[in-house]
Amino acid sequence: MTTYGSFPGTRPRRLRSNPVMRRMVAETRLHPADLILPAFVREGIGEPVPITAMPGVVQHTRDSLKKAAAEAVAAGVSGIMLFGVPEESKKDALGTPGTDPDGILQVALRDVRAEVGDDLLVMSDLCLDETTDHGHCGVLDERGRVDNDATLERYAEMAQVQADAGAHVVGPSGMMDGQIGVVRDALDQIGREDVAILAYTVKYASAFYGPFREAVGSSLQGDRKTYQQDPANVRESLRELALDLEEGADMVMVKPAGPYLDILARVADAVDVPVAAYQISGEYSMIEAAAEKGWIDRDRAIMEALTGIRRAGARNILTYWATEVAQKLKDQ
């Protein structure tokens, strides 16, 4: 006798039965266009310099940066976020290389725009930490504290020189109060309403930035806890989000990504502008280090981490694996 309605009646495993089925019902997909490549360019070097704490990532020469940009275009990556590393002797208290039209970041912006034109969104980190001799993201007052409003004046000038150098998008990352409004006004004053702002809206004072310090040759002593956000807080991030949108941000970002997926989801649910997340140096280095020791499957871990960020609500992801992953996605 045939028995119907046997337990269990519902079998979700049917939708996991083979690779084609799993692909068809996948709720979250990565695409090359989701990805943005952060890249470092260093002044005064003749060949790329490997970053010890970030295996596979280098400080580029101007020529190798142009090659990396072209490779990103070929892979279908949407953007490249540039960080300039000036010669140590050129750093000063005001971060002068950041506003010098011939500073390394501005030179690199012109190089990359000449190489790829509009085929890749050329983005610029708008911050002073790489260019100051004290390593902070702003100008210091007589007591050694970061002076918010004096820093905003520097950011306004930086925005203008970066736009003149060819940036499609500027990324104010210093977490100064009012920075988005000041940058928007500065750009509009020179007729650059076309330059978009990717606001580093949620940027936590994180231990996971460690490898980045080597990447940009940071001179920082102390910490950035008076301007970057407290990892314990959520409402503070949503307040920053409201302010950045009011001041004219075109896109917003959460940084770091992996340890703050709950924040990313809250931000993505709250806004109608594109949301990005930055998978930072420490997130990258942990996976690379564990894979080097044979503790995890490198490729699977990379894709799982990026999928988690995308699933949490990031429209775009800044990741040092951008070109590699984009190429793999194209080849699937």
Side-chain angles (χ1 to χ4, degrees):
M1 178 178 178
T2 302
T3 301
Y4 297 97
S6 59
F7 178 83
T10 301
R11 295 182 181 270
R13 286 184 57 189
R14 283 192 284 262
L15 298 183
R16 307 172 199 149
S17 58
N18 62 63
V20 175
M21 177 69 79
R22 293 192 293 273
R23 184 182 66 186
M24 184 182 76
V25 302
E27 299 172 33
T28 303
R29 301 181 193 277
L30 289 172
H31 187 276
D34 299 335
L35 305 177
I36 298 167
L37 176 68
F40 309 101
V41 56
R42 178 174 167 184
E43 189 173 24
I45 58 174
E47 59 184 26
V49 176
I51 299 169
T52 306
M54 300 176 68
V57 180
V58 301
Q59 293 173 323
H60 284 287
T61 65
R62 291 173 60 185
D63 285 340
S64 70
L65 178 64
K66 290 187 288 185
K67 181 180 178 183
E71 290 171 348
V73 171
V77 170
S78 284
I80 186 168
M81 175 67 78
L82 300 184
F83 297 84
V85 184
E87 293 180 353
E88 196 69 27
S89 62
K90 294 184 179 179
K91 295 181 181 181
D92 60 22
L94 296 177
T96 298
T99 50
D100 180 353
D102 293 322
I104 183 59
L105 180 54
Q106 287 69 252
V107 170
L109 286 167
R110 291 194 291 270
D111 284 345
V112 174
R113 278 302 299 271
E115 182 73 20
V116 301
D118 293 330
D119 292 337
L120 186 70
L121 286 176
V122 181
M123 306 176 173
S124 55
D125 178 61
L126 200 163
C127 195
L128 289 170
D129 59 320
E130 296 102 283
T131 59
T132 54
D133 54 12
H134 48 71
H136 276 287
C137 297
V139 178
L140 303 185
D141 64 16
E142 66 280 357
R143 295 174 58 185
R145 303 171 303 182
V146 174
D147 185 325
N148 191 93
D149 295 359
T151 299
L152 293 180
E153 294 180 17
R154 299 289 294 132
Y155 286 3
E157 189 177 352
M158 290 181 75
Q160 292 176 343
V161 298
Q162 290 178 0
D164 286 343
H168 293 101
V169 180
V170 295
S173 61
M175 294 304 292
M176 297 297 117
D177 295 340
Q179 62 183 13
I180 302 304
V182 165
V183 167
R184 184 71 271 160
D185 285 347
L187 291 169
D188 293 351
Q189 285 173 15
I190 62 169
R192 296 309 306 271
E193 295 88 354
D194 59 315
V195 176
I197 298 176
L198 170 57
Y200 283 62
T201 293
V202 181
K203 186 177 181 182
Y204 284 98
S206 173
F208 292 95
Y209 296 130
F212 183 86
R213 306 283 187 251
E214 178 190 348
V216 298
S218 176
S219 305
L220 180 67
Q221 300 294 320
D223 59 50
R224 299 190 170 110
K225 293 181 180 179
T226 65
Y227 44 101
Q228 293 178 355
Q229 292 166 234
D230 185 340
N233 292 350
V234 177
R235 285 190 292 269
E236 180 180 39
S237 299
L238 299 178
R239 186 183 186 196
E240 293 276 5
L241 175 64
L243 290 168
D244 281 357
L245 292 174
E246 183 180 347
E247 292 173 24
D250 298 290
M251 301 171 277
V252 296
M253 185 196 295
V254 175
K255 181 180 181 181
Y260 298 95
L261 295 182
D262 60 324
I263 308 299
L264 174 58
R266 292 281 294 270
V267 169
D269 286 344
V271 303
D272 57 4
V273 300
V275 176
Y278 196 146
Q279 184 187 51
I280 66 170
S281 59
E283 299 175 71
Y284 172 93
S285 296
M286 286 193 301
I287 290 177
E288 289 288 353
E292 184 180 356
K293 288 184 174 293
W295 292 343
I296 60 173
D297 181 317
R298 176 184 180 274
D299 291 352
R300 286 185 60 195
I302 291 170
M303 298 304 290
E304 186 174 338
L306 292 174
T307 300
I309 296 167
R310 182 73 178 84
R311 186 184 63 244
R315 172 69 270 172
N316 299 106
I317 305 172
L318 285 82
T319 174
Y320 300 98
W321 290 303
T323 301
E324 175 186 342
V325 168
Q327 188 59 60
K328 289 177 180 177
L329 292 170
K330 285 185 66 176
D331 293 343
Q332 286 180 353

